[in-house]
Amino acid sequence: MVPADLGFRHRFIPAPHKAAPVLLLLHGTGGDESDLIPMGEQLAQAIPGGAHLLSPRGRTLENGMPRFFRRLAEGVFDIEDLKFRAAELARFIESAAQVYGFDARKVIAVGYSNGANIAAAVLLLHPGVLSAAILLRPMIPFEPEKLPDLTGVRIFIAGGQRDPIVPPGQTQRLATLLESAGADVELFRHTGGHELGQAELVASARWLSRLG
Ligand code: MLT
């Protein structure tokens, strides 16, 4: 049976047990719903009992490249679209929980670049939707007027010290912002650039294994 697309083209790979948490895989610009599946499978092994994988494809296109929200230029976001798309993604997660029968209180985002930015926007705008998040090369998606209450939310952030797109200072500011909202944040600094390295995947798997 072809799964309903629930507003987003997506892949869902169930874990052996329904009660397992979900890794919500959010690709970078130009990626799709298959991009982060290998990484998700690797990360799921760090969780006792495994994890379901839910991987949507971003609904906006930039020169044919899927993204999770529009941008006006590199690092300059269309904030209205960002907020609209964050709400849309939050609704998708709720609908997917009903259709696939996973626990909506155990959704761990794993986002890279544009995917990390939409995950950060969901954390700031829709607290309660994500129970934890791995943000790889995130930026501050927008400056919130009011901080949400993220008490109890665990967040792993990985920044690249030589990232030409995200200055290290911005990664630190995002960590501080999420911490002031009450989240428990671990910041991992990778020596590389915007691309992902093996070291931070190992570090995020270790972080996941301690989530409990
Ligand atoms: C990207 O290329 O995806 C950017 O660095 C991040 C974004 O635009 O959200």
Side-chain angles (χ1 to χ4, degrees):
M1 192 178 82
V2 180
D5 80 355
L6 308 173
F8 281 78
R9 235 175 127 148
H10 66 277
R11 289 179 65 184
F12 179 75
I13 302 178
H17 303 289
K18 265 216 149 78
V22 186
L23 295 179
L24 174 74
L25 307 175
L26 301 167
H27 63 78
T29 300
D32 66 22
E33 66 277 23
S34 294
D35 248 34
L36 297 186
I37 297 283
M39 187 169 88
E41 284 170 341
Q42 210 179 315
L43 290 174
Q45 288 175 19
I47 302 173
H52 307 285
L53 303 182
L54 177 64
S55 187
R57 180 190 295 194
R59 281 171 50 91
T60 64
L61 282 178
E62 182 185 276
N63 302 322
M65 295 185 297
R67 284 177 54 84
F68 285 96
F69 58 88
R70 286 185 53 211
R71 66 178 163 186
L72 308 174
E74 178 68 63
V76 184
F77 300 148
D78 177 337
I79 302 299
E80 216 171 291
D81 189 61
L82 169 67
K83 292 182 176 172
F84 176 78
R85 300 291 172 188
E88 196 175 58
L89 185 61
R91 281 195 302 273
F92 164 74
I93 297 165
E94 277 167 30
S95 314
Q98 283 171 12
V99 169
Y100 296 117
F102 61 76
D103 186 342
R105 291 162 308 176
K106 295 187 195 166
V107 180
I108 305 169
V110 180
Y112 168 59
S113 191
N114 180 244
N117 294 342
I118 192 75
V122 170
L123 285 165
L124 293 169
L125 291 165
H126 303 280
V129 169
L130 300 175
S131 60
I134 294 178
L135 307 178
L136 306 165
R137 305 294 183 272
M139 302 169 85
I140 296 184
F142 68 100
E143 299 286 348
E145 277 164 33
K146 191 169 159 283
L147 279 182
D149 181 4
L150 293 176
T151 308
V153 178
R154 313 264 292 270
I155 301 173
F156 177 92
I157 298 181
Q161 275 167 328
R162 279 179 286 136
D163 190 331
I165 296 172
V166 190
Q170 187 167 156
T171 314
Q172 178 62 62
R173 274 211 301 127
L174 176 65
T176 307
L177 182 72
L178 294 168
E179 258 165 4
S180 26
D184 175 345
V185 179
E186 182 169 321
L187 180 54
F188 179 86
R189 291 188 180 82
H190 189 261
T191 49
H194 199 64
E195 74 292 347
L196 291 180
Q198 191 57 28
E200 60 210 308
L201 291 184
V202 171
S204 46
R206 198 175 309 127
W207 177 85
L208 262 183
S209 71
R210 292 195 310 258
L211 267 190

